[in-house]
Amino acid sequence: MRLLTGLMRSSATGGVVLAGSAGVGKTRLLLECLAVAESSGLPHARVGATRSAAHLPFGAFAPLLPPPDPEAIEAVEGQGEFLRRCCAALAERFGGQRFVLCVDDAHLLDHASATLLHHLVVTGLAFVVATVRLGESTPDPVVALWKDDLTERLDLAGISSEAIEELLATVLEGAIDGATVARLVLRCQGNVLYLRELVVGALESRSLVNQGGIWRLVAPLTPSDRLVELVETRLSGLTDPERWLLEVVALGEPLGSAELRSLADVSLAEALERHGLLGSRVSGHRLEVHLAHPLYGEVLRTRLSPLRARSIAASLAKAVEATGARRREDTLRVGTWHLESGEGLRGDLMLSAAGVARQRYDFSLAERLARAAVEAGVGFEGLFCAAQMAGFQGRVVDAEIELAAIAAQAANDTQRGLVAVTRMDNLQYGLGRSDEALRVGAEAEAEIADPTWRYEIAARRAAILVRTEGPRAAVEAAEPVCREAEGRALAWASLFSVVGLSRMGRLAEVFDICSRGHEAAQALTGPPLHWPPEIFASMRCEALIHAGRLQEAEELATGQYRLALADGSEEMRGVYAWFLTKVLGLRGRVHLAVDYGYEGAAVFRQLGRRPFVAHTIGVLAGVLAISGRNGEAIELLAEAEAIDMPPDEVYAVETLQA
């Protein structure tokens, strides 16, 4: 606006053309220019071009011009004379002053109106602010405005993720959950019109709610009716083959070139790319095709009938399998398409696809695939995966019921160990039943001979004891595991040994154990049992906080938080939001600490992690109290007290301080 206002008040140029795709804010800027002209006392007028008026000579300017002489317009000489009459009439209308002329959608002007616009700029009668849409055919006289340097051209590419976050916080009048911002940024791609409709639709559907002081999405984003209409306008005029190809890409993107060739005529894809509906990129040695905007896919998938969706899914699975399906992600793609089509549900494929989905933190899809594997005849592995995914989504009671049932089916030490440590995690972190978690571990140890799994269970016991009996008990339980074990058991025992030693002030020992535990975690292969490897970075963060190395702790927690956002790991986002609340509060950055605290508490509530809700609330209430927000702190402490949990001998310290 500073740039545009300066140009309007200067005689150095004939105007400015605002170019960009639909929804990036061209019209809004044009209206702001109109408002500036009005408030500044400058003569001004607005013209709006439309497709319906594009065949009418001077149709866009009709409200500003005298009635035309049809006979004069018919002749070539008459057109020139009429153009001069139009300019004279506009000069008279504005008292001979240079006026500000705002022309919306100038790419839709009829040729006569475009010529008049060009003439007004050349003669200096008007300062023109015009908008044009990228990818659209534009009349030559309009193109000449910037091509011949008669006007400036300003290309609008949408707003940045930082600006989107600031805009959301302003509109919603509150802090925004980091994952919510990331999801909206991904969907709108900087397009403010799409962002607005996404937010309005999410508010109307109650998908976007204020939970405990922070705005967050609690359900998937779905296009509102108005947003569907906006996108459908962009998709209007497609032939049946073109629409079908876009639907195929919407369900299968990104599609490799070989896959695309087996499904459709490549020239059709090239035509859709020229029209700005498809895009392509090179990933490694692979050429991939995708939709030009994520919301095109949202709308296309919403409009698909179940019958058509199943048919396309079956075609995609067949095409990818025919081209080899050699990449790891192809396992998930093909498995998902078979699941959606209801055809080719092989147990081994479904289970492998569930494993890939689990590693991508898509727990809902992983559970669906695992249950399909069970229906296809997969026994223990499918049942275990499905139960574990239920727990990961916050259905901790369901998970415990299912895990207890399949424990009886465990046929070897590996299966017994898997069920035991998963139940211990679920009972402790989901249900807060520490005594029962210890009992499950003891019963499993009595049946298991494999030392690897016995160490795993011992490490889990240390994790429970740090809360139920305090730091010293945890350190003593973890010590033989840290000394003798390797792999996951060593990493897990190190984590809670660090928690205990840090709280006991034995900082000289902490960083050595941190290093050994982190090296063991980094060397892990295969899918994690309950927690992803990123959890083990928290041990160093804990040690840094207690050593007073707060800047290092903040940098580590911030990096892990951003990694969790990028990976879609809700659990790790909650963990590092909790750590950021601690370290930012200690550094006196209380407002930012509060935002992270509310975010972490909301994540843990959704995941059913009641102990972590209490831990995060304890830290958050203390920060609120420091910042003078006592009413909020009191409410949170009451919530923490109402969480029916066994006494905690470590993290209750923060609650007592609060």
Side-chain angles (χ1 to χ4, degrees):
M1 283 309 304
R2 284 194 296 272
L3 171 66
L4 294 173
T5 301
L7 290 173
M8 261 191 291
R9 292 170 177 165
S10 163
S11 59
T13 182
V16 60
V17 176
L18 305 173
S21 57
V24 297
K26 302 185 301 297
T27 299
R28 179 56 188 257
L29 275 176
L30 179 139
L31 293 176
E32 291 293 331
C33 288
L34 201 62
V36 168
E38 185 175 4
S39 64
S40 303
L42 299 173
H44 57 276
R46 180 187 177 190
V47 168
T50 62
R51 293 189 188 280
S52 58
H55 65 286
L56 300 173
F58 300 102
F61 281 87
L64 301 178
L65 299 177
D69 179 355
E71 293 183 1
I73 292 175
E74 287 298 319
V76 173
E77 295 82 4
Q79 285 187 16
E81 176 58 31
F82 186 70
L83 191 64
R84 285 189 289 275
R85 286 178 56 201
C86 289
C87 290
L90 289 171
E92 183 180 352
R93 183 186 184 103
F94 294 105
Q97 297 184 65
R98 189 188 194 212
F99 64 98
V100 176
L101 177 62
C102 295
V103 184
D104 206 9
D105 292 330
H107 55 282
L108 297 178
L109 287 173
D110 62 275
H111 188 75
S113 293
T115 303
L116 174 58
L117 179 67
H118 185 270
H119 194 67
L120 289 170
V121 173
V122 170
T123 58
L125 288 173
F127 177 91
V128 169
V129 181
T131 70
V132 296
R133 184 179 298 178
L134 294 178
E136 297 279 349
S137 177
T138 302
D140 290 341
V142 176
V143 173
L145 292 178
W146 68 82
K147 183 174 69 70
D148 296 341
D149 292 328
L150 299 172
T151 65
E152 300 286 339
R153 171 171 165 144
L154 183 62
D155 287 278
L156 305 178
I159 60 175
S160 67
S161 57
E162 292 80 7
I164 288 174
E165 183 171 8
E166 184 180 349
L167 177 57
L168 288 170
T170 302
V171 170
L172 297 172
E173 298 180 344
I176 316 295
D177 173 273
T180 296
V181 174
R183 286 161 69 182
L184 288 167
V185 166
L186 179 64
R187 292 295 197 284
C188 76
Q189 297 284 296
N191 188 304
V192 189
L193 176 61
Y194 289 166
L195 175 66
R196 176 181 180 274
E197 293 304 327
L198 282 168
V199 171
V200 169
L203 289 170
E204 290 174 351
S205 67
R206 302 286 299 162
S207 300
L208 181 62
V209 297
N210 191 313
Q211 273 191 348
I214 190 161
W215 287 94
R216 63 193 311 268
L217 286 166
V218 295
L221 278 172
T222 54
S224 64
D225 290 341
R226 289 194 305 183
L227 186 52
V228 169
E229 289 170 5
L230 283 169
V231 175
E232 281 289 3
T233 300
R234 182 75 179 90
L235 302 177
S236 62
L238 294 173
T239 65
D240 287 343
E242 288 172 335
R243 178 89 184 198
W244 180 85
L245 179 54
L246 287 179
E247 290 170 346
V248 168
V249 178
L251 283 184
E253 64 179 336
L255 284 178
S257 55
E259 298 158 2
L260 182 66
R261 281 194 297 272
S262 67
L263 288 162
D265 184 351
V266 175
S267 63
L268 195 62
E270 292 170 351
L272 290 170
E273 186 173 28
R274 285 195 298 273
H275 285 92
L277 296 174
L278 285 181
S280 60
R281 59 174 174 258
V282 176
S283 177
H285 299 294
R286 173 182 162 93
L287 177 64
E288 295 180 338
V289 175
H290 56 89
L291 290 169
H293 197 287
L295 284 179
Y296 297 168
E298 300 271 2
V299 170
L300 287 163
R301 289 189 290 271
T302 299
R303 290 297 181 95
L304 277 177
S305 70
L307 186 63
R308 191 171 177 90
R310 287 170 70 97
S311 173
I312 292 174
S315 299
L316 283 165
K318 182 178 180 181
V320 174
E321 287 178 318
T323 57
R326 292 179 294 272
R327 301 177 306 149
R328 179 167 174 74
E329 53 265 39
D330 287 343
T331 301
L332 179 57
R333 298 167 76 209
V334 172
T336 303
W337 292 326
H338 280 307
L339 185 66
E340 292 173 351
S341 68
E343 301 174 6
L345 299 177
R346 302 195 324 269
D348 59 338
L349 174 62
M350 295 295 107
L351 188 61
S352 296
V356 179
R358 184 259 176 272
Q359 289 189 304
R360 295 188 174 190
Y361 305 103
D362 192 341
F363 301 139
S364 175
L365 176 58
E367 183 183 359
R368 290 173 56 213
L369 289 162
R371 297 199 186 280
V374 172
E375 290 180 13
V378 175
F380 176 88
E381 290 85 355
L383 291 166
F384 173 77
C385 182
Q388 192 184 42
M389 294 308 105
F392 286 0
Q393 295 172 77
R395 301 194 336 263
V396 289
V397 175
D398 294 344
E400 169 55 17
I401 292 171
E402 293 185 43
L403 288 166
I406 65 174
Q409 301 180 29
N412 53 52
D413 280 356
T414 296
Q415 293 182 355
R416 294 185 193 98
L418 279 169
V419 174
V421 295
T422 304
R423 287 186 71 190
M424 291 176 76
D425 283 342
N426 193 56
L427 287 164
Q428 168 69 10
Y429 301 114
L431 297 169
R433 285 149 54 178
S434 304
D435 291 343
E436 193 171 345
L438 291 170
R439 178 185 58 77
V440 166
E443 290 175 354
E445 272 186 309
E447 296 180 350
I448 292 174
D450 186 340
T452 299
W453 284 107
R454 293 177 67 85
Y455 282 133
E456 283 266 10
I457 293 169
R460 289 306 198 277
R461 185 181 298 110
I464 296 170
L465 291 177
V466 79
R467 289 175 168 83
T468 59
E469 297 186 20
R472 189 179 306 280
V475 170
E476 290 173 354
E479 193 276 331
V481 184
C482 291
R483 185 179 64 248
E484 301 166 11
E486 297 178 348
R488 201 185 327 270
L490 171 58
W492 192 255
S494 299
L495 176 60
F496 286 93
S497 185
V498 166
V499 172
L501 289 168
S502 295
R503 298 275 172 162
M504 294 166 70
R506 291 164 56 181
L507 298 177
E509 302 166 58
V510 164
F511 289 101
D512 176 59
I513 294 176
C514 267
S515 298
R516 291 181 57 228
H518 197 248
E519 286 174 10
Q522 289 181 315
L524 293 177
T525 58
L529 292 178
H530 190 98
W531 303 88
E534 289 74 26
I535 185 64
F536 298 107
S538 69
M539 75 173 87
R540 182 167 181 81
C541 199
E542 177 91 12
L544 289 168
I545 288 173
H546 285 278
R549 293 158 61 177
L550 300 181
Q551 182 172 342
E552 292 175 70
E554 181 186 340
E555 290 171 355
L556 176 58
T558 300
Q560 291 297 319
Y561 172 85
R562 289 173 177 166
L563 180 62
L565 274 183
D567 288 345
S569 173
E570 289 292 278
E571 196 105 46
M572 290 301 96
R573 182 163 68 92
V575 166
Y576 289 104
W578 170 34
F579 272 93
L580 282 167
T581 308
K582 289 185 191 184
V583 71
L584 290 168
L586 288 168
R587 300 196 76 188
R589 297 166 63 190
V590 291
H591 297 299
L592 189 56
V594 166
D595 289 347
Y596 278 116
Y598 274 124
E599 179 177 348
V603 168
F604 289 134
R605 285 190 198 99
Q606 182 177 337
L607 294 173
R609 302 289 185 263
R610 292 161 60 231
F612 285 103
V613 175
H615 303 336
T616 306
I617 282 177
V619 178
L620 173 58
V623 177
L624 285 166
I626 288 169
S627 59
R629 295 161 67 175
N630 295 341
E632 292 174 70
I634 289 168
E635 289 178 8
L636 284 170
L637 289 169
E639 179 187 347
E641 189 174 342
I643 297 174
D644 185 20
M645 298 291 300
D648 186 301
E649 296 297 327
V650 169
Y651 296 111
V653 171
E654 283 87 351
T655 305
L656 289 170
Q657 287 175 330

